Amino acid sequence: MKLGIFDSGLGGLLIAKSIREKMPDIDIIYFGDTLHLPYGNRSGKAIYAHSERAVDFLFSQDCALIITACNTASAAALRTLQQQYLPASMYKNRRILGVIVPTLETAIDGGHKRLGIIATNHTVETMIYPVELEKIDPEISIIQKKTPLLVPLIENGGANWLPSVLEHYLTPMIEEDAIECLILGCTHYSLLKNEIPSIIGKYVSIISQDEIIPDKLINYFNRHQEIYEKIDKNSKIKFYVSDKTESYCKTADQIFGHSINIELTHLDPVSNKFVIASEPI
Ligand code: DGL
């Protein structure tokens, strides 16, 4: 069996890459739902439907465990997927994990008391980060900021505009001297982690999920050997997307530092499920 990693688009590739660096032997299948990207501006209902379909595809490809790398999908869909979809599905013994609680745990372990988070509209609107934080440690504060322009700029080669947009979003948080730690609460934002310090200054630390999820996964495997043992260790990795463009493939190659083979899935209109496409479609 395999480890599945799901994101709406590109950002989760950074998490796939960092997991691969830490655990090069485990077999991975990555799925980017590029056909429905961006998730962040959609309704919870739509994000849930897209997420369930993506997870279902990864399970159909023999994934024992899926990491919902996408924060927006974690916010909109994770609990329902774990508590309703899985028990009712043919994949009862499989597992789905998200990224929100592990990210908050890392911020808390770092001793930070005043957190800031930038995330998609939907992630912020669900209040998932403040709500989960309150459960873990109500003494810690969190300021949220919707940053809806970042994903479209990242996905569409808008690098020239990113510094001024980042400055626009981040300056108010910094001016109030309100935060000690900034959570990059969207997989895509890991691509910006080298540009952000020049805006927020060296005294605010940054949490980038590509740097924390691999260790959290190792920790999970240590506690759940039965899942770890199910996953094949042949160092294989496969990439699927629901829509394939030249620019996506180019950025994916840049992220991995070499050319990667990305296969296309096709949304079957009858079953409403993703199936592996025989290109071109
Ligand atoms: N990757 C998603 C996340 O982590 C955001 C991108 C999108 O809007 O689709 O929240």
Side-chain angles (χ1 to χ4, degrees):
M1 299 184 85
K2 285 107 188 150
L3 169 71
I5 301 174
F6 150 54
D7 187 47
S8 56
L10 276 171
L13 288 171
L14 288 150
I15 292 184
K17 185 186 177 210
S18 59
I19 288 177
R20 190 141 178 85
E21 281 165 2
K22 282 258 166 147
M23 285 173 275
D25 56 337
I26 63 170
D27 288 8
I28 295 174
I29 301 190
Y30 182 87
F31 179 69
D33 191 9
T34 44
L35 184 64
H36 301 110
L37 176 110
Y39 278 17
N41 303 329
R42 298 190 195 284
S43 67
K45 208 170 155 195
I47 299 163
Y48 180 80
H50 297 324
S51 304
E52 186 185 295
R53 210 186 285 115
V55 160
D56 203 76
F57 170 72
L58 284 168
F59 282 142
S60 77
Q61 298 305 303
D62 205 27
C63 290
L65 169 69
I66 295 171
I67 299 179
T68 304
C70 181
N71 289 258
T72 310
S74 292
L78 184 66
R79 288 286 173 257
T80 313
L81 288 171
Q82 289 171 327
Q83 292 168 6
Q84 292 176 27
Y85 160 83
L86 260 188
S89 75
M90 57 197 278
Y91 305 118
K92 286 183 187 54
N93 298 326
R94 319 271 183 105
R95 296 286 178 272
I96 310 172
L97 300 176
V99 289
I100 289 165
V101 171
T103 302
L104 285 169
E105 285 170 354
T106 303
I108 293 165
D109 290 348
H112 305 294
K113 299 285 181 217
R114 290 174 290 132
L115 311 180
I117 175 166
I118 51 172
T120 64
N121 287 354
H122 188 78
T123 301
V124 170
E125 280 160 14
T126 60
M127 298 287 289
I128 186 102
Y129 273 92
V131 166
E132 292 297 332
L133 181 64
E134 173 83 16
K135 288 187 208 158
I136 307 172
D137 189 340
E139 300 290 300
I140 300 179
S141 67
I142 187 162
I143 297 174
Q144 305 194 91
K145 179 82 185 166
K146 292 178 181 174
T147 47
L149 292 177
L150 297 180
V151 169
L153 287 173
I154 293 166
E155 290 272 346
N156 297 296
N160 287 350
W161 292 273
L162 278 166
S164 55
V165 173
L166 275 171
E167 216 168 301
H168 163 76
Y169 284 140
L170 294 173
T171 309
M173 267 189 183
I174 304 314
E175 275 177 350
E176 291 156 22
D177 196 19
I179 62 166
E180 301 163 338
C181 168
L182 179 68
I183 294 172
L184 308 186
C186 170
T187 48
H188 286 66
Y189 304 171
S190 294
L191 285 161
L192 308 174
K193 66 182 172 187
N194 297 328
E195 298 174 27
I196 290 177
S198 65
I199 302 169
I200 61 172
K202 58 181 177 190
Y203 298 111
V204 178
S205 46
I206 291 176
I207 294 188
S208 180
Q209 291 167 333
D210 62 321
E211 293 171 11
I212 63 167
I213 296 302
D215 285 337
K216 291 286 181 186
L217 181 61
I218 290 171
N219 183 287
Y220 177 85
F221 282 148
N222 287 337
R223 289 180 287 115
H224 296 277
Q225 282 290 325
E226 75 289 357
I227 304 285
Y228 180 70
E229 276 155 23
K230 281 185 187 167
I231 297 176
D232 299 328
K233 321 282 185 311
N234 301 312
S235 305
K236 288 191 182 151
I237 185 161
K238 287 195 118 183
F239 300 91
Y240 293 99
V241 287
S242 49
D243 190 22
K244 191 167 151 182
T245 61
E246 227 171 82
S247 104
Y248 185 93
C249 295
K250 204 171 136 201
T251 314
D253 289 352
Q254 281 165 0
I255 288 172
F256 275 82
H258 57 82
S259 168
I260 61 172
N261 183 35
I262 299 177
E263 293 179 47
L264 186 62
T265 61
H266 164 61
L267 185 52
D268 184 79
V270 178
S271 65
N272 193 29
K273 286 179 185 286
F274 288 119
V275 290
I276 295 172
S278 38
E279 293 178 73
I281 279 188

